[in-house]
Amino acid sequence: MNDSTTARRRRLGQGLVLLLALGGAMPLAAQTWPARPVTLVVGTPPGGSVDVYARALGDQLARQTGGTFIVENRAGANGNLSAEQVRKAAPDGHTLWISTQAMFTINPSAYPALRWQQSDFKAIAKGVESPLVLVVHPSVPVQQLGELGPWLKANPDKATYASFSPGTPSHFLGFQFAERLKVPMVHIPYKGSAPQITDLLGGQVLLGFTQLQAALPHLQTGKLKALAVTSPQRSRFLPQVPTLAEMGHGDLNTTVWFGLMAPAATPPAVIDALMAATVKAQADPGLKGKLEAQGFDVPTESGAAFDKTITTETARWAQVVKATGFKAND
C-alpha cells in the first residue's frame, strides 16, 4: 500500500467520523416527527368541547404516527395561559396548542396587556367548526326571529341575553343583535356553555347565542327554541332553522372553530409533517364520524387558507371589540 492510498483512506475515515458527528447534532427537521411524546395544550377545563376534540385528534394522530400524544388542560384567562405555555416551549413540534376562534382572533383585541401575539404561532389546521344558534326559553311567545324585537320592546324588563363567556362571539353577537333590534339589552356572561345552558333552561335568562352542540339535545326535546343559526347556510343538524342571512342579517354570520397551532419557530419540515398528519387524521372516517356525531362540521382548511380565515376574522372582531369598548382582565 503506497502513501497516497493510505492518505486517501485516512481522509475517508475522517470524513465518516465528521458525518457521524454531524448526524448526532442534526436538527429535528431532519429527523422523524414525533421523536418523543407530544403534548396538546388545551386552554379549557377537562370535559368541554375543546378538550373532547383534542383527545380525539390525539388518539388518531397516535394511531397514524405510532407516537404518544398527551392532552394537558391549562385553563384560565380565556386561553391565554395555554398560549403562553406553548409560546415558551421548545419549537420542535412536541408542544402544540389547541386554540379556538375566540382565543386566537378576539383575544388580541380584547386583552390590553396580552403576553403573546398571533405571530408567535404557526396555524396548522382548522379542526372543527360550528355555527352558534340563537335560542329562547319556551316561555318567550315568539316563533320566528322577526317577532323577537317587538316582544323585547314590549317587555324591557326581560331584555337580557346570556353569553357562554365575555369576549367571545356569543357575547359580541348579542351586543350587535341588540343594536340591530334597537333594544337596550343587558349582557349576562357565564363561565362556559354548561352554566349558560342551565340558566337558559331554567328561564333565569330568556335568550342567547349558544354553542350548537350544547343546545342541540334541548332543542330536540323542546326545552329551548331555536330562532336562527349564524352559519352562511343552514346547519344540517338543524335544517328547519333559518340563518341570520335569510332574515337580512348576513353581516352577523360567524362560525366558531378549534384549531391546531405550533410555535412559529418550529422548523418548516416539522410544520409540514404536522400539517400532513393533521389533515390525514381529520379525513379519517372514524374521527370525522365521532366529531360529526357531536354536532361539529370537520373542515379541510389548513396552511394558507387557514391563515386567510384568521386574518379576516381578526380584523372583523377588532372592529366589534372597539365598538363595544370591551376590555378583558388578565
Side-chain angles (χ1 to χ4, degrees), residues 37-250:
V38 177
T39 299
L40 303 177
V41 182
V42 176
T44 60
S49 298
V50 188
D51 180 68
V52 169
Y53 164 68
R55 294 179 190 279
L57 176 64
D59 288 346
Q60 182 59 35
L61 287 173
R63 281 192 286 270
Q64 284 179 200
T65 66
T68 300
F69 289 77
I70 302 164
V71 172
E72 180 180 334
N73 298 89
R74 185 72 187 278
N78 198 27
N80 291 329
L81 296 183
S82 60
E84 291 170 27
Q85 178 177 335
V86 177
R87 180 181 63 82
K88 295 174 182 176
D92 58 10
H94 292 90
T95 305
L96 307 172
W97 184 28
I98 303 291
S99 189
T100 70
Q101 180 207 39
M103 294 174 191
F104 207 72
T105 69
I106 297 179
N107 283 11
S109 297
Y111 285 80
L114 201 64
R115 291 183 289 273
W116 62 272
Q117 304 176 58
Q118 287 183 344
S119 59
D120 292 328
F121 298 93
K122 172 63 179 174
I124 303 299
K126 183 189 286 186
V128 293
E129 65 182 333
S130 175
L132 297 181
V133 53
L134 176 59
V135 302
V136 296
H137 187 267
S139 64
V140 178
V142 304
Q143 302 304 320
Q144 56 186 0
L145 190 65
E147 299 171 348
L148 184 59
W151 182 81
L152 287 169
K153 289 176 181 177
N155 297 272
D157 59 315
K158 297 179 179 179
T160 61
Y161 74 93
S163 77
F164 50 71
S165 183
T168 64
S170 176
H171 168 195
F172 294 129
L173 283 178
F175 173 87
Q176 290 181 297
F177 196 62
E179 283 193 326
R180 189 66 49 88
L181 296 178
K182 294 181 172 57
V183 177
M185 296 185 69
V186 177
H187 172 218
I188 309 296
Y190 289 84
K191 293 183 178 180
S193 293
Q196 180 202 26
I197 289 289
T198 296
D199 274 13
L200 284 166
L201 290 170
Q204 283 85 357
V205 187
L206 297 179
L207 65 101
F209 286 91
T210 73
Q211 291 189 345
L212 184 147
Q213 297 74 28
L216 195 56
H218 307 296
L219 296 171
Q220 292 168 339
T221 58
K223 294 179 180 178
L224 291 173
K225 293 190 293 187
L227 298 184
V229 293
T230 65
S231 47
Q233 294 82 34
R234 292 194 182 197
S235 169
R236 57 199 174 93
F237 301 104
L238 292 171
Q240 75 282 8
V241 178
T243 66
L244 286 175
E246 290 176 56
M247 303 292 104
H249 307 291

Side-chain angles (χ1 to χ4, degrees), residues 259-272:
L260 185 64
M261 310 289 173
T266 303
V270 178
I271 293 292
D272 290 344

